[in-house]
Amino acid sequence: VLTQPYTEPPESRAASLVNPTPGDSLIEIDTPALLVDLDRMETNIAGMSALARESGLSLRPHAKAHKVPELARLEVEAGAVGITCQKLGEAEVMAAAGLTDLLIAFPMVGARKIQRLIALARRVHVITTIDSLEAAAPLSQAAASEGVMIDAVLEVDVGYHRCGVDPQAALGTAQALATEFEGLRFRGLMAYEGHIYNLISVEAVEERAALSYNILGDIAARLRAAGVPVDIVSVGASAAARVAARHPAVTELRAGSYIFNDLAQIAMGGATESECALTVLATVVSTQTSERAVIDAGAKALSFVTIPGYAGYGSIRGHEGAVIDRLADEHGMISIPMAVKPFYIGERVRIIPNSGSSVINEFSDLVGVRNGTVECVWPIAARGRMQ
Amino acid sequence: VLTQPYTEPPESRAASLVNPTPGDSLIEIDTPALLVDLDRMETNIAGMSALARESGLSLRPHAKAHKVPELARLEVEAGAVGITCQKLGEAEVMAAAGLTDLLIAFPMVGARKIQRLIALARRVHVITTIDSLEAAAPLSQAAASEGVMIDAVLEVDVGYHRCGVDPQAALGTAQALATEFEGLRFRGLMAYEGHIYNLISVEAVEERAALSYNILGDIAARLRAAGVPVDIVSVGASAAARVAARHPAVTELRAGSYIFNDLAQIAMGGATESECALTVLATVVSTQTSERAVIDAGAKALSFVTIPGYAGYGSIRGHEGAVIDRLADEHGMISIPMAVKPFYIGERVRIIPNSGSSVINEFSDLVGVRNGTVECVWPIAARGRMQ
């Protein structure tokens, strides 16, 4: 039994899928479901595209925010130079769907990863991310021996303390990368200023983002002075897009969350509630007391991600004051303060998530809605492609 | 463009899938990957099966813990009377795979859900969960008009304050269910004692679990005295299985986590580390300082679920003292105290997750391993079937 993997018969997928078909109204969608307001999303895409164009920045949207190849294509059609992927598996899905210019913002480590990266680089333009010479060496050797040249950017730690070389070490590492590694073509610098998401004032966000970009600008200037060309200075966060747009050192913006926006973006001043395009549609299934309601969207729909300064796991439209304060795997528990609008069994609610990129990874399909009607259903094709 | 859903070509799934094939060694598995130690899992299944059999309890394992139909079948082959599903979508997948006795431990609310439940009840034995007469009424009407009789249990809130009627209201609600609702056959009581997972001593867990079962026993006795048959008194938590096994009121155990175990079970005294079968295999991709390492398993692999009294997002085997204390979507950041074993780039680590059922929902495939060799790869077929 153990060695015979189960293959689901085709009819069972049809039976268990509860997705609507184009033309259905919202009431016909079974819950929980992940909805995107198409008008709002298109406005968000156009807005970020215009900001980048007017600032002379290259826009390379982060596809981990949606994981849907069709949405990556919409971003490119609106003017993006290419897309960013967080994992090689995502990039493979995007390349298979026709995306041709991909930055993978993650260190490639391990023999299988390197083989797959080289295979991908033969088919599309790939930029890989390096944050250590230890990881660069086997990649360089494999690329050189296969006769492939792969573009590379050096990741710099500008304060988030995740990946990225220390700014003190960036100059030497970049010089080594640019001169000593066959098969790799040094293109510039990248950084993710994720530490700004721990701040809770817009002013602090903007100040910290600008400081991060100053660090990159300083390294780039010193590299250029040393004769190393720096074509790309790539930064990441949607919430700091306006700061990046006016900063002279930045050449490329990898904003991702902007396509939908979420409570994290609102908290950072990067969006307003009306600019949020993504919602989880859920049904109230239990209301045992006037202080508590339960919806059919739990941790497996909303995720346990939290936002500094925000209570709960998402904001319920039209129910101000109610808080989704506990999650079980499939239940969301809502606390209802006195004098707040009650919930009733069977009521359908729409929840703006804390983090769009977390929620997108929980669902298999994204339902596109316009004027209250289903227009399309997209498989979230890169969901779970973490490898 | 918007109305043309993208269909991934078959070869791209092959290219992006990095799953090993049977006979591969662990080193050939690309990461992050979800591994199950088959010897350990089989021992866990046999152990819970023996506990239930020796106690005269029916075992109805909760399939949300694994979401893999093959594992549900193994549980049934070991003696389980059927399985539990948390959502109708999971139950549909399990039924399509040949499971024939399914308790859905969630209120069925909404016209589509009711139609699907009735369709499922025509094919397999289904027990539905009721926690309000409001939700029971449309289900009853639909079942009666379709000529289907559906077994139903009443969910009672024994202290977790999620779904379930208050114990004070249970007698009256159960009597109404048993007598006034065509199409529904009242079978008994169910409860989930999830509040025990907030406790941090084994004694407190056992005491609170026993109190919960006393509540059910009291309601069952009063119902029987009133002439209402109570065939089923079903309880849920793996960590309280030993308490349930010796409690006279309990007839059925819906333990789920026991199949793999996880840090939550260890914290509750329900398992030891050597009894944990599930691990996330990850690769160290960056070590910028001796105080920090980064692995390729982030929130989308490990989830943000936390355990009261435990630091971090999982326990790294062989690296005592190191803590996965921050997660980004695809990065896990490890804090390394002084005098603790260092990490090196390319090192592969195995992580016992905080919650098996959270992690199982993040991956698409489960890799079965025995003696360091891949034996099978199971699609996690019910993953994301939240509807």
Side-chain angles (χ1 to χ4, degrees):
Chain A
V1 171
L2 275 173
T3 54
Q4 292 294 326
Y6 159 68
T7 306
E8 195 183 348
E11 69 272 20
S12 87
R13 176 157 167 90
S16 64
L17 261 191
V18 287
N19 277 328
T21 46
D24 280 357
S25 69
L26 284 191
I27 196 69
E28 295 171 278
I29 304 174
D30 209 340
T31 61
L34 188 60
L35 310 185
V36 58
D37 182 307
L38 295 171
D39 284 338
R40 169 45 55 191
M41 180 188 77
E42 289 163 9
T43 302
N44 291 350
I45 291 173
M48 189 61 79
S49 183
L51 176 69
R53 191 171 52 246
E54 290 157 13
S55 316
L57 273 191
S58 298
L59 179 62
R60 184 182 285 282
H62 211 314
K64 80 173 173 134
H66 53 68
K67 293 175 175 278
V68 175
E70 291 86 348
L71 299 191
R73 290 209 293 244
L74 289 180
E75 291 175 311
V76 169
E77 286 165 14
V81 297
I83 62 165
T84 307
C85 295
Q86 200 70 344
K87 290 291 185 81
L88 179 56
E90 280 177 9
E92 288 169 336
V93 171
M94 294 294 166
L99 280 298
T100 57
D101 198 325
L102 311 171
L103 166 63
I104 305 172
F106 200 88
M108 291 292 108
V109 174
R112 281 206 177 199
K113 285 262 175 1
I114 290 173
Q115 289 166 16
R116 291 164 55 205
L117 181 69
I118 289 172
L120 186 65
R122 291 186 193 281
R123 288 153 47 208
V124 297
H125 179 227
V126 170
I127 306 174
T128 189
T129 300
I130 303 282
D131 89 335
S132 70
L133 299 182
E134 293 95 312
L139 178 56
S140 160
Q141 288 159 17
S145 78
E146 300 247 1
V148 173
M149 181 66 76
I150 301 178
D151 279 359
V153 288
L154 177 67
E155 182 165 2
V156 178
D157 179 7
V158 293
Y160 186 36
H161 304 328
R162 187 173 72 176
C163 288
V165 296
D166 190 273
Q168 305 285 345
L171 190 69
T173 309
Q175 285 180 306
L177 262 186
T179 57
E180 298 168 20
F181 288 83
E182 286 184 279
L184 298 179
R185 183 190 292 117
F186 177 76
R187 296 297 308 282
L189 307 174
M190 74 83 91
Y192 179 57
E193 60 279 36
H195 51 301
I196 67 172
Y197 285 100
N198 293 315
L199 304 171
I200 53 170
S201 89
V202 176
E203 294 71 24
V205 166
E206 301 204 338
E207 182 187 331
R208 199 69 66 90
L211 287 172
S212 300
Y213 308 152
N214 290 348
I215 293 170
L216 295 174
D218 181 54
I219 298 166
R222 291 161 67 200
L223 275 169
R224 289 174 183 132
V228 177
V230 178
D231 308 327
I232 298 172
V233 176
S234 175
V235 302
S238 292
R242 291 185 304 269
V243 185
R246 62 175 180 259
H247 196 287
V250 175
T251 72
E252 179 179 284
L253 180 64
R254 303 192 312 280
S257 306
Y258 81 93
I259 189 170
F260 300 140
N261 290 314
D262 52 26
L263 294 186
Q265 289 303 314
I266 295 175
M268 297 297 99
T272 62
E273 182 171 325
S274 70
E275 290 168 342
C276 291
L278 195 71
T279 50
V280 173
L281 180 69
T283 299
V284 177
V285 297
S286 182
T287 57
Q288 293 297 331
T289 78
S290 58
E291 296 164 357
R292 183 174 85 243
V294 179
I295 53 176
D296 59 358
K300 288 183 180 175
L302 298 171
S303 97
F304 276 112
V305 68
T306 55
I307 303 297
Y310 273 62
Y313 299 101
S315 170
I316 308 171
R317 281 193 180 165
H319 278 282
E320 282 68 33
V323 179
I324 306 170
D325 63 350
R326 286 191 301 148
L327 297 178
D329 277 338
E330 301 286 6
H331 301 73
M333 277 70 85
I334 302 172
S335 280
I336 311 166
M338 279 192 292
V340 158
K341 189 172 141 191
F343 293 79
Y344 59 89
I345 289 178
E347 179 178 355
R348 292 154 74 85
V349 296
R350 291 178 72 173
I351 302 157
I352 303 173
N354 282 350
S355 161
S357 72
S358 294
V359 167
I360 205 86
N361 203 50
E362 305 296 330
F363 286 84
S364 299
D365 300 280
L366 178 62
V367 180
V369 173
R370 203 186 303 272
N371 300 324
T373 301
V374 174
E375 185 168 301
C376 56
V377 180
W378 289 302
I380 303 172
R383 192 219 74 78
R385 300 296 175 94
M386 295 181 279
Q387 292 165 318
Chain B
V1 172
L2 276 175
T3 53
Q4 292 295 324
Y6 158 68
T7 305
E8 193 184 349
E11 69 273 20
S12 88
R13 175 156 168 90
S16 64
L17 259 191
V18 286
N19 277 327
T21 45
D24 281 357
S25 69
L26 284 191
I27 197 69
E28 294 171 278
I29 305 174
D30 210 341
T31 61
L34 189 58
L35 310 187
V36 59
D37 181 307
L38 295 172
D39 284 338
R40 169 45 56 192
M41 181 188 77
E42 289 164 10
T43 302
N44 291 349
I45 291 173
M48 190 61 81
S49 183
L51 176 69
R53 191 172 52 248
E54 289 158 12
S55 316
L57 273 190
S58 298
L59 179 63
R60 185 182 283 283
H62 210 314
K64 80 173 173 133
H66 52 69
K67 294 177 176 276
V68 175
E70 289 86 347
L71 299 191
R73 290 208 293 243
L74 288 180
E75 290 175 311
V76 170
E77 286 166 15
V81 298
I83 61 166
T84 307
C85 295
Q86 199 71 342
K87 289 291 184 80
L88 178 56
E90 281 177 7
E92 288 169 337
V93 171
M94 294 293 165
L99 280 299
T100 56
D101 197 326
L102 310 172
L103 166 63
I104 304 172
F106 201 89
M108 291 293 108
V109 174
R112 281 205 175 199
K113 284 260 174 3
I114 289 172
Q115 289 165 17
R116 290 165 56 205
L117 180 70
I118 289 172
L120 187 65
R122 291 188 191 281
R123 287 152 49 208
V124 296
H125 179 226
V126 171
I127 306 175
T128 191
T129 301
I130 303 283
D131 89 334
S132 69
L133 299 182
E134 295 95 310
L139 179 56
S140 158
Q141 287 159 18
S145 78
E146 299 248 1
V148 171
M149 181 66 75
I150 300 179
D151 279 358
V153 287
L154 176 68
E155 183 166 1
V156 179
D157 179 6
V158 292
Y160 186 37
H161 305 327
R162 188 172 73 177
C163 288
V165 296
D166 190 275
Q168 306 285 344
L171 190 69
T173 309
Q175 284 179 308
L177 264 185
T179 56
E180 297 167 22
F181 288 83
E182 285 185 282
L184 298 179
R185 183 190 293 118
F186 177 77
R187 296 297 307 283
L189 308 174
M190 74 83 91
Y192 179 58
E193 60 277 37
H195 50 302
I196 67 170
Y197 285 100
N198 294 316
L199 304 171
I200 53 167
S201 87
V202 175
E203 295 69 25
V205 166
E206 299 204 338
E207 182 186 331
R208 199 68 66 89
L211 287 172
S212 301
Y213 307 152
N214 291 346
I215 293 171
L216 295 174
D218 181 55
I219 298 165
R222 290 159 68 199
L223 276 168
R224 289 176 183 131
V228 178
V230 178
D231 308 325
I232 297 171
V233 177
S234 175
V235 302
S238 292
R242 292 184 304 267
V243 184
R246 62 175 180 257
H247 197 286
V250 175
T251 72
E252 179 179 283
L253 180 63
R254 302 192 312 282
S257 306
Y258 80 93
I259 189 170
F260 301 140
N261 292 313
D262 52 26
L263 294 186
Q265 289 303 315
I266 294 175
M268 296 298 99
T272 62
E273 183 173 323
S274 69
E275 291 167 341
C276 290
L278 194 72
T279 50
V280 174
L281 179 70
T283 299
V284 177
V285 298
S286 183
T287 58
Q288 293 297 330
T289 77
S290 58
E291 296 164 357
R292 184 174 83 244
V294 180
I295 53 176
D296 60 358
K300 288 181 180 175
L302 298 171
S303 98
F304 276 113
V305 68
T306 55
I307 304 296
Y310 273 62
Y313 299 102
S315 170
I316 307 171
R317 281 194 180 166
H319 279 282
E320 281 68 33
V323 178
I324 306 170
D325 64 350
R326 287 191 300 147
L327 298 177
D329 277 337
E330 302 286 6
H331 301 73
M333 278 70 86
I334 302 172
S335 280
I336 310 167
M338 280 193 291
V340 157
K341 188 172 142 192
F343 293 79
Y344 59 89
I345 291 177
E347 179 178 355
R348 293 154 73 86
V349 296
R350 291 178 73 173
I351 302 157
I352 303 173
N354 282 351
S355 161
S357 72
S358 294
V359 166
I360 205 87
N361 202 50
E362 305 296 329
F363 286 83
S364 298
D365 299 281
L366 179 61
V367 180
V369 173
R370 201 187 303 271
N371 300 325
T373 302
V374 174
E375 184 167 304
C376 56
V377 180
W378 289 302
I380 302 172
R383 194 220 72 78
R385 299 298 175 91
M386 295 180 280
Q387 291 163 322

